[in-house]
Amino acid sequence: MQHTEAEDTARNIEEAFPEGEDAALSEELSALRASLEALLFVTPEPLSLEALCEALGHSDRGRVFQALCELRAACERDGRGLRVEEVAGGHRLVTKPACDAPIRKLLESQSARRLSRAALETLAIVAYRQPVTTPEIEAVRGVDTLGVLKSLLDRRLVRMAGRKNIVGRPILWKTSREFLEHFGLKNLKELPRIEEFEGLFPQQEEEKLSPLFGSGEEDAERE
């Protein structure tokens, strides 16, 4: 009768550590499994057993390898979306083939949501000059901005904040709570300098936003 790799690994574990093993040893293995999973999760490159032992500060290669085998078996046995793969002399966490379709769909969706140059410029102006009207944004950018603002509104990165009390009563724009969540900010006081804001968008590095803001000395209204 043929056995799967996970079943063989589980059987080897049971033989190496029979029922009734010392509770302290069981606790140690559990902690090692958790640490190994975390290490493999944060590192895209395969990690050798030696590298894992060094990171763990553990000198017993056999114990670390046993915990690694347990982690591999648990991923297979519990039906997780990740598995431990041995490749190029090391080990790494990879997604299972069955998850390829939803992962591809998510990545394509994220790619489609990338901000265009025009959207990035407009969002930056709103963020650093809010509350700001559409004509004021267009005066800085020098081009029509209605379509871009609608796109940012659809993505819930900006919101309408009333109307300015001048002729025509134009809409005032501010950034939204989703804007803070998207950029990991607690509040507008945590807005970075313009140069740092640019760095959040590597694909835009060849074009700088700073000239849109003159000397960059004007501060946004902080809430």
Side-chain angles (χ1 to χ4, degrees), residues 187-214:
N187 50 54
L188 292 177
K189 292 180 180 180
E190 292 192 345
L191 273 174
R193 294 173 57 84
I194 294 294
E195 294 80 2
E196 296 172 348
F197 186 82
E198 291 169 348
L200 296 174
F201 298 85
Q203 68 271 25
Q204 308 287 352
E205 285 181 353
E206 71 280 2
E207 300 179 77
K208 298 300 182 182
L209 298 175
S210 303
L212 294 175
F213 299 87

Side-chain angles (χ1 to χ4, degrees), residues 15-133:
E15 292 174 354
F17 297 95
E19 187 176 356
E21 71 177 289
D22 184 78
L25 177 57
S26 177
E27 184 176 345
E28 178 189 1
L29 285 170
S30 178
L32 280 174
R33 288 196 304 272
S35 295
L36 285 168
E37 186 171 13
L39 288 172
L40 296 177
F41 176 79
V42 301
T43 310
E45 301 298 327
L47 291 175
S48 66
L49 186 60
E50 290 75 13
L52 290 170
C53 289
E54 181 178 354
L56 292 167
H58 205 296
S59 59
D60 191 334
R61 287 166 46 92
R63 188 66 51 80
V64 173
F65 181 71
Q66 191 63 46
L68 186 62
C69 289
E70 288 190 1
L71 175 61
R72 179 184 294 115
C75 287
E76 296 294 337
R77 184 179 61 247
D78 298 342
R80 301 182 190 178
L82 299 174
R83 62 186 177 89
V84 178
E85 177 184 65
E86 185 172 359
V87 60
H91 307 269
R92 65 182 180 184
L93 272 179
V94 297
T95 56
K96 291 183 177 177
C99 301
D100 284 353
I103 291 173
R104 186 178 299 108
K105 184 176 181 180
L106 174 64
L107 294 178
E108 290 174 351
S109 174
Q110 290 179 334
S111 177
R113 289 200 301 269
R114 288 178 182 170
L115 294 175
S116 66
R117 170 69 185 179
L120 175 56
E121 286 182 352
T122 303
L123 184 59
I125 295 168
V126 174
Y128 288 90
R129 294 198 170 189
Q130 60 187 307
V132 62
T133 66

